Amino acid sequence: MLEISHLAKRFGGVVATNDVSFTVQAGSISALIGPNGAGKTTIFAQISGFHKPDSGDVRFEGRSLLGLAPEKICLLGVTRTFQIVQPFAGLNVRENIAVGAHLHRAGRRAALEHAEAIAHRVGLGPQLDKPAAALTVAGRKRLELAKALATDPKLLLLDEVMAGLNPSEIDEIIPVIRGIRQAGVTILLIEHVMRAVMNLSDHAWVLNNGSLIASGTPSQIASDPQVIEAYLGHGAAARMQAQKDMGAQHA
């Protein structure tokens, strides 16, 4: 469904993405993970048209997205959420979601009805008439998800939709995301909550310093020495292996 080919982007002397290539299969939940500053959100920005790559290509359902405006890419079926959620504070939950629904529905009534249906899907049904500004962090995250979902995406890019949530809130949103996939939406997510990545993802790619360093199932990448080094620092993989060996000797 989504093909990323040799994607590169620089900001001055900083290499944000460096020759990144991967393919997202239709119907999957995939994860793009890595330390802070690895370039993950920059890749989302290039896919969704907010940043133009210096080189490489982004193809969705066989069509290149290069040069298309974000709203055109959204019309084609690629929608993203943002790390920093910014609801329309002067509107209630229903009206916020309806903004996304208007992408394919010109009439206000149809947009509001669709917004209500989406709110129930993400667990915001009881808060439809609540001012968006009065939502908790967890509520705002669900609203960000609902606004994106209201555009009827084929591919949904979720940028740290679980950041700032406590463990019980994470447990509550995981089945919501799984249900979105079951409804036919392909999902690519950026996430630091590894429990969620392990539970949700069919496949994951690990980015560090703008380059892909590992790819595989979540269990495969969790034991990859390069991934351990990227997250925990130089020598971490060797230390962890030494602890395992020591534990095995005393068992």
Side-chain angles (χ1 to χ4, degrees), residues 2-69:
L2 179 71
E3 299 174 69
I4 305 297
S5 303
H6 307 291
L7 211 58
K9 180 68 179 177
R10 286 177 175 268
F11 296 101
V14 177
V15 179
T17 54
N18 179 30
D19 195 31
V20 175
S21 299
F22 61 88
T23 301
V24 175
Q25 300 296 328
S28 65
I29 298 180
S30 303
L32 185 62
I33 68 173
N36 288 326
K40 305 180 296 298
T41 295
T42 300
I43 288 180
F44 268 23
Q46 291 172 90
I47 294 171
S48 54
F50 288 89
H51 289 325
K52 183 179 179 181
D54 295 328
S55 60
D57 197 9
V58 178
R59 303 187 74 84
F60 176 67
E61 295 186 327
R63 174 178 178 171
S64 177
L65 301 182
L66 295 190
L68 298 181

Side-chain angles (χ1 to χ4, degrees), residues 3 67 81 96 104 107 113 131 133 165 195 220 226 233:
E3 299 174 69
T81 65
N96 263 267
H104 295 291
E113 288 177 350
L165 303 187
R195 179 160 54 91
Q220 287 172 336
Q226 286 190 85

